[in-house]
């Protein structure tokens, strides 16, 4: 059995993501571990600027004035994302498992990669204009911490982020 592939995602993985992950596995028996953070640790100013850059002014101001999310609802949302992702990837590689990561998303990915001695990590997110441009996205942070390449895929597409 080969080294596991560890995937960190903030979005439910779907059919397009399954195709991308299947290409990475290349028909092998690689175990797949999906991680979903219970808290995406988004930053208010970055989110505001990101929404403005996407010309979503209403959303930018709505999130600026919104309250912080309830930890229980965040964990329930993470559980839904994990269930959808596991269903989307069912049958790939040498089996697909997953878990919810409490605490920092990148710290959880780094810890799991080290614990499993994985040789490959993948981060799946929606595009984040500011973080991606400034290389402060999860994939870049994980790559810096791990010292190994981390593939950054944009959810639901074949596009690769710059990490």
């Amino acid at each position: 059995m080969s080294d596991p592939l560890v995937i960190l995602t903030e979005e439910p993985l779907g059919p397009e993501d399954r195709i991308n992950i299947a290409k990475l596995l290349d028909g092998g028996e690689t175990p797949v571990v999906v991680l979903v953070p219970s808290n995406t640790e988004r930053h208010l100013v970055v989110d505001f600027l990101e929404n403005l850059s996407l010309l979503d002014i209403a959303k930018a101001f709505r999130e600026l004035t919104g309250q912080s999310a309830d930890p229980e609802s965040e964990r329930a949302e993470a559980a839904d994302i994990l269930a959808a992702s596991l269903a989307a990837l069912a049958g790939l590689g040498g089996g697909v498992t997953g878990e919810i990561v409490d605490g920092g998303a990148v710290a959880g990915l780094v810890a799991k990669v080290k614990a499993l001695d994985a040789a490959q990590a993948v981060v799946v997110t929606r595009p984040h204009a500011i973080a991606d441009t400034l290389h402060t996205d999860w994939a870049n942070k994980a790559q810096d911490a791990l010292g190994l390449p981390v593939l950054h895929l944009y959810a639901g597409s074949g596009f690769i982020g710059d990490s």
Side-chain angles (χ1 to χ4, degrees):
M1 188 176 284
S2 59
D3 292 335
L5 170 67
V6 182
I7 301 170
L8 173 66
T9 184
E10 66 179 353
E11 296 286 318
L13 301 177
E16 298 86 2
D17 303 305
R18 180 187 174 88
I19 292 168
N20 292 331
I21 301 303
K23 286 178 185 175
L24 289 174
L25 298 173
D26 196 28
E29 291 298 312
T30 303
V32 177
V33 179
V34 179
L35 305 176
V36 178
S38 62
N39 176 345
T40 59
E41 300 176 317
R42 301 297 299 159
H43 298 285
L44 186 63
V45 174
V46 172
D47 286 347
F48 179 74
L49 292 173
E50 184 172 302
N51 288 322
L52 285 180
S53 73
L54 297 172
L55 300 177
D56 198 344
I57 296 166
K59 184 177 181 184
F61 284 100
R62 188 171 49 250
E63 287 185 0
L64 187 63
T65 59
Q67 296 178 343
S68 59
D70 171 44
E72 287 183 28
S73 65
E74 284 181 332
R75 190 159 181 78
E77 183 179 348
D80 291 343
I81 291 170
L82 180 59
S85 298
L86 293 176
L89 300 180
L92 286 181
V96 181
T97 60
E99 61 189 69
I100 295 173
V101 175
D102 292 315
V106 173
L109 174 65
V110 169
K112 184 57 77 173
V113 167
K114 287 180 178 179
L116 296 175
D117 197 27
Q120 191 172 17
V122 177
V123 172
V124 181
T125 66
R126 60 189 170 277
H128 295 290
I130 304 299
D132 292 349
T133 301
L134 298 176
H135 301 287
T136 59
D137 57 276
W138 289 350
N140 275 288
K141 288 180 179 180
Q143 187 166 294
D144 290 345
L146 290 168
L148 62 91
V150 175
L151 181 61
H152 186 187
L153 298 173
Y154 291 136
S157 75
F159 294 111
I160 299 173
D162 180 28
S163 58

